[in-house]
Amino acid sequence: MPEKINGYFLKEVKELIAFLKEGKKSGKTLSTLFLQYGKKVGRAAGSVRNYYYKLLKIEDKEVQALLKESALYAEEIIPFTEQEVDEMLFAILQEKEKGFSIRRAILNITEGDNKMMLRYQNKYRNLLRYEPERIAKMAKEMGVLWKEDKEYRQKQMHRRLNEEIVTMYSKIAEGFQTENERLKKTLLQLETENAKLKRQTNAVNNLDKMAK
């Protein structure tokens, strides 16, 4: 084994393999482990990931022995069929229509299967980035409003506008109610003072009459 492999010392290589081995035993995904190891050693998760896959390709007996002993390998990427993509989109959009976020929708349809959930999330993100029209087409066929649709955006904008108008009117009404209550109290005070003045005036008049 060479002294240093693509920027990692031998000790670091062994530590990385041991870390991934223990993490896989506890059921964690490689993505999670790359992130955790990166934070631990001060490297970016993507850098750790890239380095791991480079290790898998290095033709070094000691490296390969360590990897084999730890049962680490590059998981085979199984591509989606066109039918699977349509079925996945249909299921996600169905859950989305119920009010769930995309993340929650995927969690629901994969029933907590972490591997499948990650696979669906990655595929959906790729579709969102490279084939948004495919999602829009499926949503339209289902009669579901999708966030990228112009109609959906307009509906959301109108909803927010209505909420702002209702809030504004509520504040105005609340202000009127507060002012009305203040005026009522002021009127009551004036009426009380007026009645008091009337009594005092009547008493003075009575005294004047008695004096005459």
Side-chain angles (χ1 to χ4, degrees):
M1 182 190 288
E3 182 181 350
K4 203 172 183 181
I5 304 175
N6 291 67
Y8 277 61
F9 287 103
L10 302 185
K11 182 181 178 183
E12 290 181 294
V13 173
K14 292 179 181 179
E15 286 178 353
L16 172 60
I17 291 175
F19 184 87
L20 295 177
K21 177 183 177 182
E22 290 304 310
K24 291 289 284 182
K25 280 183 180 179
S26 62
K28 294 179 181 178
T29 64
L30 281 175
S31 296
T32 298
L33 292 171
F34 293 148
L35 181 63
Q36 290 179 344
Y37 187 80
K39 287 181 178 179
K40 179 182 176 183
V41 299
R43 294 178 184 264
S47 173
V48 177
R49 177 187 181 282
N50 292 339
Y51 186 76
Y52 169 69
Y53 284 106
K54 282 180 182 178
L55 277 181
L56 295 178
K57 298 176 182 178
I58 289 176
E59 295 181 1
D60 182 274
K61 290 182 180 180
E62 191 171 351
V63 171
Q64 294 305 318
L66 285 171
L67 289 169
K68 186 176 181 180
E69 188 273 332
S70 62
L72 292 174
Y73 56 91
E75 296 181 358
E76 182 183 0
I77 299 175
I78 304 172
F80 280 81
T81 64
E82 292 300 304
Q83 181 179 344
E84 285 177 326
V85 173
D86 286 341
E87 289 174 353
M88 180 196 76
L89 283 178
F90 185 87
I92 289 174
L93 291 171
Q94 265 192 329
E95 291 298 299
K96 188 75 173 66
E97 183 69 359
K98 297 175 186 176
F100 295 112
S101 65
I102 292 297
R103 183 178 178 81
R104 181 66 191 185
I106 292 174
L107 178 63
N108 290 347
I109 63 180
T110 56
E111 298 180 342
D113 185 321
N114 289 331
K115 187 175 180 179
M116 185 183 293
M117 182 171 66
L118 184 62
R119 185 167 180 254
Y120 274 34
Q121 282 179 342
N122 290 338
K123 184 61 179 178
Y124 184 83
R125 285 170 184 163
N126 285 336
L127 288 172
L128 190 60
R129 183 175 181 181
Y130 300 109
E131 298 182 76
E133 67 282 354
R134 182 166 185 169
I135 305 176
K137 182 173 180 287
M138 174 66 74
K140 187 174 181 179
E141 290 174 355
M142 294 173 63
V144 174
L145 289 175
W146 183 55
K147 70 176 183 178
E148 298 299 324
D149 290 344
K150 182 179 179 181
E151 184 183 354
Y152 180 89
R153 292 197 298 269
Q154 288 177 338
K155 184 177 180 181
Q156 292 295 89
M157 183 178 68
H158 290 156
R159 181 183 62 79
R160 286 194 295 269
L161 182 59
N162 287 334
E163 288 176 353
E164 288 173 5
I165 290 173
V166 169
T167 301
M168 181 180 69
Y169 274 119
S170 295
K171 288 181 178 178
I172 292 173
E174 184 180 345
F176 277 134
Q177 185 177 0
T178 302
E179 180 65 13
N180 190 43
E181 292 296 325
R182 188 186 69 79
L183 290 173
K184 281 183 179 179
K185 289 180 180 178
T186 302
L187 181 60
L188 182 61
Q189 288 175 352
L190 289 173
E191 288 175 346
T192 302
E193 290 176 4
N194 189 45
K196 183 179 178 181
L197 287 171
K198 280 184 178 180
R199 289 195 298 270
Q200 291 174 347
T201 301
N202 289 335
V204 170
N205 289 336
N206 289 334
L207 285 174
D208 286 343
K209 287 179 182 180
M210 289 174 64
K212 292 177 179 179

